Amino acid sequence: MPERSKSSSVSNLPLILDIDDFKGDFSFDALFGNLVNELLPSFQEEEADTAGGHGLGGTEALPNGHARASSDAAKFAQGDSIPLFPEVDALLSLFKDSCKELIDLRKQVDGRLYNLKKEVSTQDAKHRKTLTELEKGVDGLFDSFARLDSRISSVGQTAAKIGDHLQSADAQRETASQTIELVKYLMEFNSSPGDLMELSPLFSDDSRVAEAASIAQKLRSFAEEDIARAVPSVVGSATASRGLEVAVANLQEYCNELENRLLSRFDAASQRRELSTMSECAKILSQFNRGSSAMQHYVATRPMFIDVEIMNSDTRLVLGDQGSQASPSNVARGLSSLYKEITDTVRKEAATIMAVFPSPNDVMSILVQRVLEQRVTALLDKLLVKPSLVNPPPMEEGGLLLYLRMLAVAYEKTQELARELRAVGCGDLDVEGLTESLFSSHMDEYPEHEQASLGQLYQAKLDELRAENQNVSDSTGTIGRSKGASVASSHQQISVAVVTEFVRWNEEALTRCTLFSSQPATLAANVKAVFTCLLDQVSQYITDGLERARDSLTEAAAMRERFVLGTNLSRRVAAAAASAAEAAAAAGESSFRSFMVAVQRCGSSVAIVQQYFANSISRLLLPVDGAHAASCEEMATAMSSAEGAAYKGLQQCIETVMAEVERLLSAEQKATDYRSPDDGMTPDHRPTNACTRFVLLVNFFVAYLSRVLEAAFTALEGLNKQAFLTELGNRLYKGLLNHWQKFTFNPSGGLRLKRDITEYGEFVRSFNAPSVDEKFELLGILANVFIVAPESLSSLFEGTPSIRKDAQRFIQLREDYKSAKLASRLSSLWSGSS
């Protein structure tokens, strides 16, 4: 640090600055403070106060470190002549001297830096030279190492070759040694046929059985290969072969004897449950035909395959006591219990097999195969006896359905057993395929049995229904028929419940199809065959039902024909005939109702079949191209016969309605309705009584038909409600025309007829048949021929020439037709129209 003598003058003594003052933690403030401390003692005091954290009451610290006096002190200083900062000259002199010394110090530092640079440059050149020499030495060292590595590698390869040769030589030596031993043993076996008494102790020592078995197998393999390679034309080879044939025979005999001995030991150990001994024997036996004899022997000696009581117990558990009829539910429970027992037994055997045999998977494969082919097959043969399709078992004994249900239960439970055995372990055995093969004889004719069963059920149901209907007929007798209440009372009606039962049978058959058919094409074929049976059954059943209902309509029509009223009858005969006609009409109404109910139930039955097809059949047929479309076509074809019968019956219903209409009009329509006397009274504008009764009657039939057959018209595509109503409207139109031909009309009667026609037109408008509406509108125009004057008749048909033919017939019914000579007056009109 710079120092200054206190006794010397400030301006006369130089500063003492050292270069070391600028090293390390240099502080300009410290340097400056040391320079001015002697000249500015107040600076030291301010520093002390600042360091102590206290300020003077009358001063204020400035940013540059100087103290500013308070305002009172400043005022006092202004009144004094002492200089404000007397040390400034000393400070200036100090600063100048410091600058000179600092310049000198800088020159010294520059000189030192120059010398250091020269020295560094010299050392750097030396260093570079040393590095270059080191690099050359390292390169030479690397080359030496490379040569050394190459040499070491060459030596290593040579050593490896030598080692390989030594190893090969040792192996050859070992092989030669073993060959010598084998040849020696082979010579022992080649001594004389059947002589095994002179063999080495190795082959009779029980403690060295494994070694003896291995050597015997090697000797036999060598001898058999040598015989196979021998050329008979070479005498020496032939002689050698004959010699080795003796050895092969002796070896085979020894191996058989050894194998039997090991099997006996294995059996004895198995009786005592000595798994270690069993494992040792199984390991040795694995050298004989890969241990197949040991595996087969172990499986064959399991109690489940040799104990007759176990087999009889299986039969009792599943089929029950001898002579009793086994049900599918009981068989299902029995099979579940039996198969669980078999699975548990196999699982226990699997634990033993895993601990004993070196190839447990092969043993498990043999065991599971034996279980399925022996124990399960023996049971299935007793459970499933395939019935004859020519002479099927009667329904009283369960019929074909019992066999199919038993087959389904056995198949399903056996498949579950196969999955359980697969989980336990069965090696490479295709247990699922083997299980399928157990049922192959039954699957070959399964579709035929299923169809025959459905046919048998159908025939049994028809027999049951016929018997019930016969019982009803016998109990009711002829009471209803004698009163003419119902012709259809003795006919069996279609039952939706019966059709539902058909569908239920088919659903059960469909479940079996799904169970038995794993391939989509096979499943689709079986499903289609089963569904075709349902279509045939439903079609035949509802068609027969409709035909029976039609028979009722036919019988009612025959009754009407028998009781048609003739002319010139006595009052008594006429009354009796009228009563019989009433009975025929009641029979017609009853047969009409009966047929409507039959058509309604027919439609409901078809809807049930369609819903069943949509919900259950379609999804099974869609995966196979064309199957779904073919079944839809078959369904439409099957229902067409029912639709035809329904259409014919509806035509007969129209005949029934028309017959009742004609009877009603004949009975109710009076001659005075349309030829009322001209007594000056106000004409009656109400419809005639016959018209009112007509509308009520036909409206009843049409309303009943629409209400009952709405579902049938939806289900049976061949039926069309609108076409039916149009046909009925046309028949009513013709019937009314024919009815009116029986009467004579005067002008007031024509007005009454026009009122009736208006009523008829309003009624048939509910049919929504435009062609019928048009005909009744023309009838209203035709009625005008009875109202207008004779001279105005020609003008009536100028705009409607199509009704002139009917108009000509109507004009002839006018009361004044002859008196007004209308025939001659209108002849020109008719000839012009023709």
Side-chain angles (χ1 to χ4, degrees):
M1 288 293 180
E3 297 180 358
R4 180 179 295 277
S5 174
K6 296 181 179 180
S7 60
S8 302
S9 174
V10 173
S11 59
N12 295 331
L13 295 176
L15 291 170
I16 301 174
L17 296 176
D18 193 354
I19 293 177
D20 294 336
D21 295 338
F22 297 93
K23 296 179 180 178
D25 296 332
F26 173 73
S27 173
F28 180 78
D29 291 339
L31 175 65
F32 182 78
N34 290 331
L35 289 176
V36 300
N37 278 344
E38 295 182 2
L39 297 178
L40 300 175
S42 62
F43 178 78
Q44 291 179 336
E45 295 176 2
E46 291 174 5
E47 287 292 332
D49 293 339
T50 301
H54 302 285
L56 297 176
T59 61
E60 183 177 355
L62 296 176
N64 58 5
H66 297 288
R68 183 173 63 187
S70 66
S71 60
D72 294 336
K75 292 177 181 179
F76 178 81
Q78 289 176 359
D80 199 347
S81 60
I82 298 174
L84 182 61
F85 195 28
E87 294 87 353
V88 66
D89 292 332
L91 289 173
L92 288 174
S93 176
L94 176 63
F95 290 156
K96 288 179 181 180
D97 292 340
S98 297
C99 285
K100 288 180 182 179
E101 288 195 16
L102 287 173
I103 291 171
D104 292 340
L105 289 175
R106 185 179 66 185
K107 290 179 179 180
Q108 293 177 19
V109 170
D110 289 343
R112 288 185 181 181
L113 286 175
Y114 177 75
N115 293 332
L116 288 173
K117 286 180 180 180
K118 286 178 65 178
E119 186 178 353
V120 166
S121 177
T122 301
Q123 293 296 329
D124 183 64
K126 291 180 179 179
H127 180 66
R128 290 177 181 277
K129 182 179 179 181
T130 302
L131 285 178
T132 302
E133 293 175 354
L134 287 175
E135 287 179 356
K136 291 180 179 180
V138 169
D139 290 341
L141 186 60
F142 278 143
D143 292 341
S144 298
F145 276 124
R147 289 192 299 272
L148 180 60
D149 182 67
S150 176
R151 181 60 178 166
I152 291 173
S153 176
S154 177
V155 171
Q157 291 177 359
T158 302
K161 291 179 181 180
I162 294 172
D164 291 341
H165 287 304
L166 290 175
Q167 186 176 4
S168 176
D170 183 67
Q172 291 176 3
R173 184 188 62 78
E174 183 67 24
T175 301
S177 175
Q178 292 178 0
T179 303
I180 292 172
E181 289 291 326
L182 291 175
V183 169
K184 183 183 70 171
Y185 293 139
L186 184 61
M187 294 302 295
E188 293 180 3
F189 281 100
N190 198 36
S191 59
S192 61
D195 185 10
L196 302 179
M197 302 301 296
E198 301 299 330
L199 297 179
S200 298
L202 167 66
F203 297 105
S204 57
D205 188 354
D206 287 344
S207 63
R208 302 176 65 187
V209 172
E211 183 181 357
S214 175
I215 291 175
Q217 287 297 319
K218 290 179 180 179
L219 291 176
R220 189 171 67 173
S221 175
F222 171 75
E224 289 174 351
E225 290 178 1
D226 184 75
I227 292 174
R229 290 195 305 266
V231 180
S233 59
V234 181
V235 177
S237 297
T239 303
S241 297
R242 283 195 297 270
L244 291 181
E245 287 173 356
V246 173
V248 167
N250 288 336
L251 283 168
Q252 183 64 51
E253 182 181 353
Y254 173 77
C255 289
N256 292 338
E257 185 272 333
L258 180 60
E259 189 174 6
N260 291 333
R261 188 164 18 125
L262 288 170
L263 288 174
S264 299
R265 184 186 300 180
F266 183 88
D267 283 341
S270 177
Q271 298 275 339
R272 298 188 299 271
R273 296 291 299 170
E274 295 178 357
L275 298 184
S276 59
T277 304
M278 292 172 63
S279 176
E280 180 183 354
C281 293
K283 185 176 181 180
I284 299 171
L285 285 168
S286 65
Q287 301 181 44
F288 299 95
N289 298 321
R290 298 182 179 179
S292 62
S293 60
M295 294 185 287
Q296 294 285 356
H297 181 76
Y298 175 79
V299 171
T301 55
R302 296 305 89 202
M304 72 172 109
F305 302 130
I306 59 177
D307 192 341
V308 178
E309 182 57 34
I310 292 179
M311 300 178 187
N312 294 334
S313 175
D314 293 349
T315 304
R316 288 194 300 270
L317 179 61
V318 176
L319 298 179
D321 295 333
Q322 188 174 4
S324 62
Q325 179 82 29
S327 65
S329 58
N330 291 336
V331 169
R333 287 191 293 270
L335 285 176
S336 296
S337 300
L338 175 61
Y339 287 168
K340 183 178 184 301
E341 176 190 340
I342 290 176
T343 303
D344 293 340
T345 302
V346 171
R347 186 177 287 109
K348 292 177 182 177
E349 292 292 345
T352 302
I353 290 170
M354 294 295 293
V356 170
F357 289 93
S359 301
N361 289 336
D362 294 339
V363 185
M364 288 301 299
S365 176
I366 297 172
L367 175 64
V368 172
Q369 182 176 357
R370 186 71 175 266
V371 166
L372 293 175
E373 290 182 347
Q374 179 175 328
R375 192 171 181 185
V376 174
T377 300
L379 179 64
L380 294 179
D381 289 342
K382 296 178 182 179
L383 175 63
L384 303 175
V385 179
K386 187 190 295 185
S388 170
L389 292 174
V390 178
N391 296 310
M395 289 301 298
E396 293 77 11
E397 298 178 4
L400 293 171
L401 181 60
L402 179 61
Y403 161 73
L404 290 171
R405 286 176 173 173
M406 290 291 194
L407 178 61
V409 167
Y411 183 88
E412 184 176 11
K413 294 300 180 181
T414 307
Q415 288 288 349
E416 292 177 2
L417 172 64
R419 289 191 288 271
E420 291 293 333
L421 294 178
R422 168 65 69 186
V424 173
C426 57
D428 297 331
L429 179 67
D430 181 11
V431 64
E432 290 81 6
L434 180 58
T435 305
E436 287 287 341
S437 68
L438 300 181
F439 296 89
S440 59
S441 61
H442 299 278
M443 295 298 109
D444 292 341
E445 296 182 356
Y446 161 70
E448 290 79 6
H449 279 89
E450 195 70 77
Q451 291 172 293
S453 172
L454 292 173
Q456 189 181 39
L457 289 170
Y458 177 73
Q459 191 58 48
K461 189 64 179 179
L462 293 185
D463 294 341
E464 176 188 343
L465 294 174
R466 277 193 289 267
E468 291 177 358
N469 186 64
Q470 185 63 40
N471 292 334
V472 171
S473 299
D474 293 343
S475 63
T476 57
T478 58
I479 297 175
R481 196 180 290 267
S482 64
K483 294 182 178 180
S486 174
V487 176
S489 62
S490 62
H491 292 294
Q492 178 186 335
Q493 268 285 11
I494 295 174
S495 172
V496 177
V498 171
V499 174
T500 304
E501 190 170 2
F502 294 165
V503 174
R504 182 175 56 79
W505 296 341
N506 211 261
E507 285 178 333
E508 182 180 343
L510 186 67
T511 303
R512 287 191 289 269
C513 287
T514 307
L515 177 65
F516 295 147
S517 308
S518 58
Q519 298 300 322
T522 305
L523 175 61
N526 291 341
V527 168
K528 185 173 179 293
V530 167
F531 183 62
T532 300
C533 286
L534 175 65
L535 293 177
D536 293 341
Q537 292 171 359
V538 173
S539 175
Q540 182 179 348
Y541 177 70
I542 62 179
T543 302
D544 291 346
L546 290 172
E547 290 295 341
R548 289 191 297 271
R550 282 188 60 210
D551 292 342
S552 300
L553 292 170
T554 303
E555 292 179 18
M559 290 180 66
R560 289 195 302 270
E561 293 294 332
R562 287 197 300 269
F563 300 120
V564 173
L565 293 177
T567 57
N568 300 324
L569 297 175
S570 65
R571 183 176 295 180
R572 182 178 178 182
V573 174
S579 176
E582 286 289 341
E589 180 181 346
S590 176
S591 61
F592 175 86
R593 290 173 179 268
S594 177
F595 186 79
M596 290 299 105
V597 172
V599 176
Q600 178 195 30
R601 294 179 179 179
C602 173
S604 300
S605 300
V606 173
I608 290 172
V609 174
Q610 291 172 341
Q611 186 69 25
Y612 169 62
F613 177 80
N615 293 341
S616 301
I617 303 297
S618 295
R619 60 184 177 83
L620 301 175
L621 297 179
L622 284 174
V624 180
D625 293 340
H628 185 271
S631 291
C632 289
E633 184 176 350
E634 283 190 11
M635 183 162 55
T637 302
M639 296 302 114
S640 62
S641 60
E643 292 168 0
Y647 178 77
K648 293 177 182 178
L650 290 175
Q651 294 297 317
Q652 290 179 277
C653 286
I654 292 177
E655 296 293 340
T656 301
V657 173
M658 291 308 301
E660 184 62 17
V661 165
E662 291 173 2
R663 189 189 68 83
L664 184 146
L665 290 176
S666 298
E668 298 292 335
Q669 197 82 67
K670 308 300 180 182
T672 57
D673 289 343
Y674 299 127
R675 196 171 61 176
S676 57
D678 190 4
D679 53 6
M681 296 182 65
T682 303
D684 189 354
H685 296 292
R686 294 173 301 172
T688 62
N689 186 50
C691 175
T692 303
R693 294 284 303 277
F694 171 93
V695 171
L696 290 175
L697 174 65
V698 179
N699 184 59
F700 163 75
F701 280 115
V702 172
Y704 184 80
L705 179 144
S706 298
R707 182 177 70 255
V708 172
L709 297 189
E710 194 63 41
F713 283 127
T714 303
L716 300 174
E717 299 177 358
L719 299 182
N720 186 286
K721 178 181 178 181
Q722 196 58 50
F724 176 79
L725 292 176
T726 301
E727 176 68 17
L728 179 60
N730 290 331
R731 293 294 301 276
L732 292 174
Y733 169 77
K734 293 179 181 179
L736 289 171
L737 283 179
N738 293 332
H739 169 68
W740 288 326
Q741 293 297 317
K742 303 173 184 178
F743 298 92
T744 303
F745 299 84
N746 62 9
S748 60
L751 290 174
R752 195 83 183 272
L753 175 63
K754 193 172 182 67
R755 181 67 184 86
D756 283 355
I757 292 174
T758 302
E759 190 72 15
Y760 292 140
E762 288 293 332
F763 169 66
V764 299
R765 197 168 288 117
S766 64
F767 291 5
N768 294 322
S771 62
V772 176
D773 294 342
E774 183 181 355
K775 289 182 178 181
F776 276 86
E777 289 174 2
L778 294 176
L779 275 180
I781 298 174
L782 281 174
N784 291 328
V785 302
F786 303 122
I787 302 172
V788 302
E791 59 272 11
S792 302
L793 286 173
S794 60
S795 63
L796 286 177
F797 314 108
E798 292 178 355
T800 55
S802 60
I803 63 173
R804 286 178 180 177
K805 184 176 180 180
D806 291 332
Q808 183 179 3
R809 295 166 57 194
F810 266 50
I811 290 173
Q812 294 176 6
L813 302 176
R814 284 175 65 108
E815 187 180 36
D816 59 351
Y817 179 73
K818 292 181 179 181
S819 60
K821 300 180 180 180
L822 294 179
S824 60
R825 183 180 295 184
L826 297 175
S827 60
S828 60
L829 175 64
W830 307 136
S831 61
S833 63
S834 59

